[in-house]
Amino acid sequence: MRIADDFSSGLRENVPAHPNVDLIEGDLANAEVAKRAVAGCAFVIHLAAIPSVPRSVQDPIGSHRANVDGTLNLLIAARDAGVKRMIFAGSSAVYGDAPVLPKREDMRPHPLSPYGLQKLIGEQYGQLFTKLYGFETVTTRFFNVFGPRQQPGSPYSGVISLFIEALAAGRGPIVHGDGKQTRDFTFVGDVVTGVLRCCEAPNVAGEVINVAAGGRISLNDLIRTLQRVLKTDAAPTYGPAREGDIKDSQADIQKARKLLDFAPVTSFEDGLAQTVAWFQSQTLRK
Ligand code: UD1
């Protein structure tokens, strides 16, 4: 197995030191790095991105380079290297604020941020490569993935990691907006299952598939649950909503059930408990 990462947001210590793991440190927006990354691989799982809506609003060019140029480089490199199939990490951000819930893959996309548009370009490039060159690609549209090892290091980090960090320290979390926005928080283990099924399932080349829990939880409910688990009543501070933010997000996962025989197995509460336990074990280590 080979892992390519520029460690712009992930941590080197998360890459296992194992004789079968070959690590390339570099930026996939560089075509030479992309070529080296895929040489000799049967499958490519393309998760590399600057995965933040507000960062893309601040810096559309930097985020385009990572999310679009990186994807195109990898598609070309993987096609030319004879890779069997490439799985692309798409995003529910492509749906934008279409009023209908849950979101189904055949709804018209309506991105509200450069990030959402870049993920849409990525999946359309994937489909085009399948049609034009016969190179098999599958896009998994992820919905707010969370779990152990997600880093709360920057204001752009995933909301669950930021809220756990704040509440564990007895601080109230900062909520952008009224906290009534909802998300389909999906435990990382279920996402891994969905991605691996995409590598092996028949008849999925060129498909775009929601991979999510299929539920919907508001930030206010998330805070209440965390306050209970972490035994604190530190109150949140409410500020203005973020530009480009989606109000509600929930996946229809029928297509994943049908094509991938996918069903999420970790409940939100269990996933959150595992994430809090991991966070506390890290705090103890420091
Ligand atoms: C997230 C992912 C994105 C993915 C998308 C799929 C992250 C960082 N982003 O975007 O990669 O493609 O889901 O749907 O994982 N919020 C606060 N306070 C904070 C931080 C966030 O109130 O301190 C709010 C945000 O305004 C937003 C919600 O929490 O309403 C979720 O934010 P965030 O975790 O950044 O994720 P998304 O923008 O939904």
Side-chain angles (χ1 to χ4, degrees):
M1 177 167 82
R2 184 174 306 128
I3 295 174
D5 201 322
D6 66 355
F7 297 107
S8 54
S9 58
L11 295 182
R12 199 180 311 256
E13 69 188 55
N14 287 333
V15 178
H18 189 280
N20 292 345
V21 175
D22 175 15
L23 174 66
I24 291 186
E25 184 169 351
D27 177 0
L28 294 163
N30 174 335
E32 282 310 308
V33 175
K35 254 194 212 164
R36 277 199 291 136
V38 303
C41 294
F43 296 97
V44 171
I45 298 173
H46 174 31
L47 306 168
I50 295 184
S52 161
V53 171
R55 254 188 91 172
S56 78
V57 174
Q58 308 268 304
D59 176 20
I61 292 182
S63 118
H64 184 100
R65 185 177 138 79
N67 298 339
V68 179
D69 296 356
T71 299
L72 182 56
N73 276 339
L74 215 48
L75 279 165
I76 293 171
R79 177 201 64 186
D80 293 350
V83 166
K84 264 195 204 156
R85 190 177 284 177
M86 175 163 141
I87 316 304
F88 170 63
S91 170
S92 62
V94 305
Y95 290 111
D97 260 350
V100 183
L101 287 176
K103 314 278 193 198
R104 260 191 21 208
E105 293 86 345
D106 54 6
M107 286 175 177
R108 190 162 178 264
H110 189 249
L112 299 179
S113 61
Y115 174 75
L117 179 59
Q118 291 153 10
K119 285 292 179 182
L120 183 61
I121 295 172
E123 64 182 44
Q124 293 195 345
Y125 257 128
Q127 291 182 311
L128 191 70
F129 268 60
T130 302
K131 271 200 209 102
L132 197 58
Y133 307 113
F135 174 56
E136 293 197 2
T137 66
V138 184
T139 293
T140 49
R141 284 187 182 160
F142 294 155
F143 285 65
N144 294 78
V145 183
F146 76 100
R149 297 200 178 130
Q150 194 170 37
Q151 298 299 320
S154 96
Y156 301 127
S157 301
V159 67
I160 290 188
S161 65
L162 289 170
F163 283 8
I164 293 177
E165 183 188 43
L167 287 165
R171 281 185 280 113
I174 294 166
V175 178
H176 305 306
D178 59 10
K180 292 184 185 155
Q181 64 264 53
T182 55
R183 291 292 185 273
D184 190 340
F185 292 111
T186 311
F187 189 65
V188 62
D190 285 325
V191 169
V192 171
T193 302
V195 168
L196 293 179
R197 299 256 169 106
C198 283
C199 293
E200 275 149 22
N203 309 321
V204 290
E207 295 291 347
V208 171
I209 308 171
N210 291 339
V211 170
R216 188 156 81 91
I217 284 142
S218 74
L219 293 193
N220 288 332
D221 280 343
L222 167 66
I223 292 169
R224 274 190 286 273
T225 309
L226 286 174
Q227 284 170 327
R228 203 173 53 243
V229 174
L230 290 162
K231 300 187 178 53
T232 172
D233 53 10
T237 307
Y238 292 86
R242 265 180 181 168
E243 275 178 274
D245 215 26
I246 289 171
K247 178 87 176 96
D248 295 304
S249 182
Q250 181 182 18
D252 182 314
I253 54 173
Q254 293 308 317
K255 188 170 176 182
R257 282 189 205 285
K258 194 167 145 219
L259 293 185
L260 307 175
D261 192 22
F262 170 80
V265 297
T266 305
S267 70
F268 176 64
E269 290 71 21
D270 281 357
L272 208 53
Q274 288 185 49
T275 309
V276 168
W278 176 81
F279 188 86
Q280 288 171 328
S281 73
Q282 294 303 295
T283 317
L284 287 177
R285 265 178 51 187
K286 282 180 191 156

